[in-house]
Each structure stands twice: as C-alpha cells, then as structure tokens.
Amino acid sequence: MFRTKSVEQSILDTEEPEHALKKSLSALDLTVFGVGVIIGTGIFVLTGQVAKETAGPATAIAFAVAGVVCALAALCYAEFASTVPVAGSAYTFAYAALGELVAWIIGWDLVLEFALGTAVVAVGWSGYVRSLMDNVDWTMPEVLSGTDVAEGFGFDILAFALVLLLTVILVVGMKLSARVTSVVVAIKVAVVLMVIIAGLFFIKAENYKPFIPPAEKQPAGSGWDAPLVQLLFGYEPTNFGVMGIFTAASIVFFAFIGFDVVATAAEETKLPQRDMPRGILGSLIICTVLYVAVSIVVTGMQNYRELSVSAPLADAFKATGHPFYAGLISFGAAVGLTTVCMILLLGQTRVFFAMSRDGLLPRFFSKTHPRFRTPYRPTILLGVLIAVIAGFTSIEELATLVNIGTLFAFVVVALGVLVLRRTQPNLPRAFRTPWVPVLPIASVAASVWLMLNLPVETWVRFGVWMVLGVIIYFVYGRSHSRMAKEGR
C-alpha cells in the first residue's frame, strides 16, 4: 500500500510508444492555460457577493490573502512539476513521495474535483448564454434550459453540447486546445482590463469609507450547514472588520481554483523543468493582480451594500448609466467560462490517464491516439459522462466538493515536498521550493484552515466518496497495479 514509484521509473513510463503523450506546450501555453482556468465565475460573481456580505471595500485585501495562500501551494507544485514532469499532477507527486494508497486517494479525489467542476462551469456558461440570447429576444424552450423546469424535468442542451464540443477539441490535440484557449483568454482578459480601465472613471472616493467596515457577527450555523471549525472549536466567523477579511479570503479562495490543473500538463510540455514553474507561478500572479484591481474598481464605483450578488460587475456599470459595458461583461463571462470548462476537463483526463497507465484503473484507457497522441479513450468516456451530468443535473449543492478536493490536493503536495526532500535529497530539482520546511508547513496549515471553514455536509459527502475510492483500490487497484505485477 505504501510502495512508492521512483521519479526515474515515472519518467521511463512516459517513453512507452503506446502510452506516450505528445510534447507541444511552452511556458506561454501553460500560463495561458492557468489564466484561462482561474479567471471564471470568481471575478465575475464572487467580487460583489463578498464585498456586500463579508468584507466591504477590503475585499481587495481578501483577494490578496487568498492569493498568498495559493502561492504557498503553487511553490510546492512548481518543485514537483519540474522534478516529476509526468501527467497526473498531485496524483503522480503523491506516488513518488507518499506511496500508492495515498496516490490513489488523491487521484480519486481529483477525478471528483475536476468532473464536478467541469459540469458546474458548463451549467454556469449555459446560464450566461441564455441571458445573452434573451437580450436579443431569442428564448430557449424551458424543457431544454436545464433542470427545475417543465414540472421537474429539463435538459440543459447548451451545457451538454459545450462539453461534447470541448471533448472533440481535446481529442484532436493539445496544441489545438492551446490555440483555442489563447484566443478565448485574450478576449476574457481584454474584458477584465476594460472593466478596470473604464471603471476608474466612475470611482467615487466616498464609496471606500469605511474601507474596513465595523465587525458584525455571522448568524450561527447549526447541524449540517455549520462550518466544521464552529462545531470543533466554537469559533464564530465574523463579517466585516479585520477578521471578516480572513472570512472573505476563505470564500474568494475558490476563485483561484484551477492553477493546479497546469501541473497535469507537465508531460506534454517541451521543457517542463524550466516552463512548469513559470506557467504555474506566472498565471497565479497575473490573476491575483487582476482580481485585486477589479475588486478595488467595483467597490469604488458603487457602495458595497448596494452591489449586486448575481452580476456585480455588469450591474455596477448599469448603476452608473452605462449598460453597454454591462452587456460586454456578460459576453466576456460567457466566453471566459468556455476555457475554464475545457481546462478542467483536460486536467481530469490526464489524471485518469496516469492512473490507468499505472494499472490502478484499467490499462485500456492508457493508450494514446495513433495520430493525435492524446489520451482519447478516457477523454471520450469522461466527456460524455460529464456532458450528461451537466445536461440533467443542477449540482450547485455539490460545488463545495470541488473546493474541499482542491484543498486536500494542496495538503498532499506540500507534505510530498517535505517527504521527498528527506527521502531523496540529491534528486535533481530544476526548481526548489524556498524556505523548506517552513513554507510547506504554512501551506498545509492554511489549506486545512480553509477546509475547516467548509460545512459539515461537505465533509460528510467528501468522506463517503473517499471511502468508496478506498474500497475500489482494495478490490481492483492494489492487485492490478503495475508496481505489484512487476514486484516493485
């Protein structure tokens, strides 16, 4: 259960002709992927919600705090991704440092995280597109607009079609995926920059007063809805005030989810030792700066208590009498979510592919396409499954599982850096995480704290999924593992 797979063996496995991925990505491609997946609903939605309910104008500080927490994890990811340039991200890193069972658990966790994330984003994209269609008097039939319509039955045809289209793009090749992503990310970043630049002309200084509003106690949670930290330690989260900034940071943190997906493309990168750290850290820095700037502009345009929760950026421009910008922002949101969906799907297929190549899942899924050199079998399987989930299911209540899954991966990667530094101190490392062991320990502590702020219900669902994964490992994965069959 605790046998580890050496870095040398992991790299050797990537050279098998039938199981090798095509190397076509550069540092720029990776940075674009990172920006493409990070900038999504967070910057278009969470900004207003957090400013209005939790932190006020100090939301900018909350984004900076969340960015620092992610940076701690990103530095750990950068060391692993440059040292073990193999598909699978945290799964592969855990296999090298912590053992097979831990690797299986984190891989199983990532499969859930990316699958639900893709479906949730696809449903969100569908909502933005329907909103744009309504603006020009094009109305989708209710039965094809999602769930909770037509007497309890509905099918979200737009979300379903989006996932299938992205599946085809991913099968055809990573370079095509990178080109599509580059175009879409350029549009999305242009819209964000437009918000910042145009919004500067509508800022009113009085909207920043007070910059940190007086503290208010949150309503006490109870039962399944209460944060785990409240039940364990009696901690009462605070809205506004200095502590409200940290409460807000635990919320806006989820706007950064996705930079870890960059690490799943390590095996398809031309110079992973150099480019993986650049792609991971570069995309995170760019997005943090954009998030902070947008939150400063939006809270300056409109008093934080008057901000819209559902569409704060667009409604802030409407409130200042500029509906044109509001429509452009909605367009940017719809376009931007396309890349988020594609890159999450990309991440899941690479983790699934890596687990299959190691024998923990059927090896049938580890063969690459003879022409495109992409893992087409898991891509098609998972793409169709997620398309059906997105079409038939309204899964907002499961979205927090994406968050706890990501934080769990952060914890495993940070611990993996500590273990591998001790067990293989002489391993060549193109990038070294600074201030070890202090920084990885700080990353673990920050991630665990944010996990404790999630509801008990989320922990229970996550626990059930993990137990199911452990059962599958002992029934199938342990005996079919390549490590076991080769006596390693």
mmCIF file of all heavy atoms in Angstrom, residues 132 135 314 318 322-332:
data_model
loop_
_atom_site.group_PDB
_atom_site.id
_atom_site.type_symbol
_atom_site.label_atom_id
_atom_site.label_comp_id
_atom_site.label_asym_id
_atom_site.label_seq_id
_atom_site.Cartn_x
_atom_site.Cartn_y
_atom_site.Cartn_z
ATOM 1 N N LEU A 132 -27.681 36.199 -22.614
ATOM 2 C CA LEU A 132 -27.353 36.971 -23.808
ATOM 3 C C LEU A 132 -28.403 36.780 -24.898
ATOM 4 O O LEU A 132 -28.762 37.721 -25.615
ATOM 5 C CB LEU A 132 -25.976 36.554 -24.336
ATOM 6 C CG LEU A 132 -24.760 37.008 -23.513
ATOM 7 C CD1 LEU A 132 -23.494 36.355 -24.032
ATOM 8 C CD2 LEU A 132 -24.618 38.529 -23.553
ATOM 9 N N ASN A 135 -31.381 38.894 -24.380
ATOM 10 C CA ASN A 135 -31.188 40.305 -24.726
ATOM 11 C C ASN A 135 -31.566 40.614 -26.172
ATOM 12 O O ASN A 135 -31.874 41.755 -26.516
ATOM 13 C CB ASN A 135 -29.736 40.710 -24.480
ATOM 14 C CG ASN A 135 -29.396 40.763 -22.996
ATOM 15 O OD1 ASN A 135 -30.285 40.849 -22.150
ATOM 16 N ND2 ASN A 135 -28.115 40.690 -22.686
ATOM 17 N N ALA A 314 -21.412 43.774 -14.053
ATOM 18 C CA ALA A 314 -22.347 44.294 -15.051
ATOM 19 C C ALA A 314 -23.316 45.295 -14.416
ATOM 20 O O ALA A 314 -23.576 46.378 -14.976
ATOM 21 C CB ALA A 314 -23.124 43.142 -15.679
ATOM 22 N N LYS A 318 -24.347 49.336 -14.977
ATOM 23 C CA LYS A 318 -25.730 49.755 -15.203
ATOM 24 C C LYS A 318 -26.104 50.869 -14.231
ATOM 25 O O LYS A 318 -26.794 51.826 -14.592
ATOM 26 C CB LYS A 318 -26.678 48.567 -15.021
ATOM 27 C CG LYS A 318 -26.651 47.557 -16.161
ATOM 28 C CD LYS A 318 -27.643 46.425 -15.902
ATOM 29 C CE LYS A 318 -27.609 45.381 -17.011
ATOM 30 N NZ LYS A 318 -28.533 44.252 -16.742
ATOM 31 N N HIS A 322 -24.288 53.035 -17.772
ATOM 32 C CA HIS A 322 -23.508 52.574 -18.924
ATOM 33 C C HIS A 322 -23.830 51.097 -19.211
ATOM 34 O O HIS A 322 -22.999 50.207 -18.958
ATOM 35 C CB HIS A 322 -22.010 52.758 -18.669
ATOM 36 C CG HIS A 322 -21.603 54.192 -18.554
ATOM 37 N ND1 HIS A 322 -21.736 54.896 -17.375
ATOM 38 C CD2 HIS A 322 -21.094 55.057 -19.464
ATOM 39 C CE1 HIS A 322 -21.309 56.128 -17.567
ATOM 40 N NE2 HIS A 322 -20.921 56.262 -18.823
ATOM 41 N N PRO A 323 -25.020 50.826 -19.736
ATOM 42 C CA PRO A 323 -25.430 49.438 -19.995
ATOM 43 C C PRO A 323 -24.593 48.750 -21.065
ATOM 44 O O PRO A 323 -24.532 47.519 -21.097
ATOM 45 C CB PRO A 323 -26.889 49.584 -20.444
ATOM 46 C CG PRO A 323 -27.000 50.990 -20.952
ATOM 47 C CD PRO A 323 -26.073 51.793 -20.109
ATOM 48 N N PHE A 324 -23.929 49.518 -21.954
ATOM 49 C CA PHE A 324 -23.103 48.891 -22.993
ATOM 50 C C PHE A 324 -22.016 48.027 -22.364
ATOM 51 O O PHE A 324 -21.774 46.891 -22.779
ATOM 52 C CB PHE A 324 -22.463 49.961 -23.880
ATOM 53 C CG PHE A 324 -21.355 49.428 -24.760
ATOM 54 C CD1 PHE A 324 -21.649 48.697 -25.896
ATOM 55 C CD2 PHE A 324 -20.009 49.642 -24.421
ATOM 56 C CE1 PHE A 324 -20.625 48.199 -26.694
ATOM 57 C CE2 PHE A 324 -18.991 49.138 -25.215
ATOM 58 C CZ PHE A 324 -19.302 48.420 -26.353
ATOM 59 N N TYR A 325 -21.358 48.598 -21.348
ATOM 60 C CA TYR A 325 -20.305 47.837 -20.677
ATOM 61 C C TYR A 325 -20.873 46.599 -19.983
ATOM 62 O O TYR A 325 -20.214 45.561 -19.909
ATOM 63 C CB TYR A 325 -19.587 48.719 -19.657
ATOM 64 C CG TYR A 325 -18.761 49.816 -20.282
ATOM 65 C CD1 TYR A 325 -19.143 51.149 -20.172
ATOM 66 C CD2 TYR A 325 -17.600 49.517 -20.980
ATOM 67 C CE1 TYR A 325 -18.383 52.165 -20.747
ATOM 68 C CE2 TYR A 325 -16.840 50.528 -21.562
ATOM 69 C CZ TYR A 325 -17.238 51.842 -21.445
ATOM 70 O OH TYR A 325 -16.485 52.840 -22.013
ATOM 71 N N ALA A 326 -22.090 46.717 -19.465
ATOM 72 C CA ALA A 326 -22.724 45.579 -18.799
ATOM 73 C C ALA A 326 -22.894 44.418 -19.775
ATOM 74 O O ALA A 326 -22.622 43.251 -19.445
ATOM 75 C CB ALA A 326 -24.077 45.993 -18.218
ATOM 76 N N GLY A 327 -23.354 44.710 -20.987
ATOM 77 C CA GLY A 327 -23.521 43.656 -21.992
ATOM 78 C C GLY A 327 -22.189 43.052 -22.397
ATOM 79 O O GLY A 327 -22.081 41.832 -22.588
ATOM 80 N N LEU A 328 -21.159 43.880 -22.488
ATOM 81 C CA LEU A 328 -19.839 43.391 -22.856
ATOM 82 C C LEU A 328 -19.272 42.476 -21.776
ATOM 83 O O LEU A 328 -18.616 41.464 -22.071
ATOM 84 C CB LEU A 328 -18.902 44.580 -23.074
ATOM 85 C CG LEU A 328 -17.629 44.318 -23.884
ATOM 86 C CD1 LEU A 328 -17.978 43.783 -25.269
ATOM 87 C CD2 LEU A 328 -16.807 45.601 -24.002
ATOM 88 N N ILE A 329 -19.542 42.813 -20.516
ATOM 89 C CA ILE A 329 -19.068 41.977 -19.409
ATOM 90 C C ILE A 329 -19.757 40.614 -19.435
ATOM 91 O O ILE A 329 -19.118 39.574 -19.231
ATOM 92 C CB ILE A 329 -19.316 42.691 -18.064
ATOM 93 C CG1 ILE A 329 -18.371 43.884 -17.933
ATOM 94 C CG2 ILE A 329 -19.123 41.732 -16.890
ATOM 95 C CD1 ILE A 329 -18.714 44.801 -16.791
ATOM 96 N N SER A 330 -21.056 40.599 -19.704
ATOM 97 C CA SER A 330 -21.776 39.325 -19.792
ATOM 98 C C SER A 330 -21.206 38.468 -20.917
ATOM 99 O O SER A 330 -21.059 37.248 -20.775
ATOM 100 C CB SER A 330 -23.272 39.577 -20.030
ATOM 101 O OG SER A 330 -23.841 40.244 -18.922
ATOM 102 N N PHE A 331 -20.873 39.113 -22.037
ATOM 103 C CA PHE A 331 -20.255 38.387 -23.152
ATOM 104 C C PHE A 331 -18.905 37.812 -22.729
ATOM 105 O O PHE A 331 -18.580 36.652 -23.010
ATOM 106 C CB PHE A 331 -20.088 39.322 -24.352
ATOM 107 C CG PHE A 331 -19.264 38.735 -25.464
ATOM 108 C CD1 PHE A 331 -19.812 37.770 -26.300
ATOM 109 C CD2 PHE A 331 -17.951 39.143 -25.670
ATOM 110 C CE1 PHE A 331 -19.045 37.220 -27.332
ATOM 111 C CE2 PHE A 331 -17.190 38.603 -26.693
ATOM 112 C CZ PHE A 331 -17.738 37.635 -27.521
ATOM 113 N N GLY A 332 -18.098 38.629 -22.041
ATOM 114 C CA GLY A 332 -16.794 38.161 -21.585
ATOM 115 C C GLY A 332 -16.909 37.003 -20.616
ATOM 116 O O GLY A 332 -16.102 36.065 -20.651
#
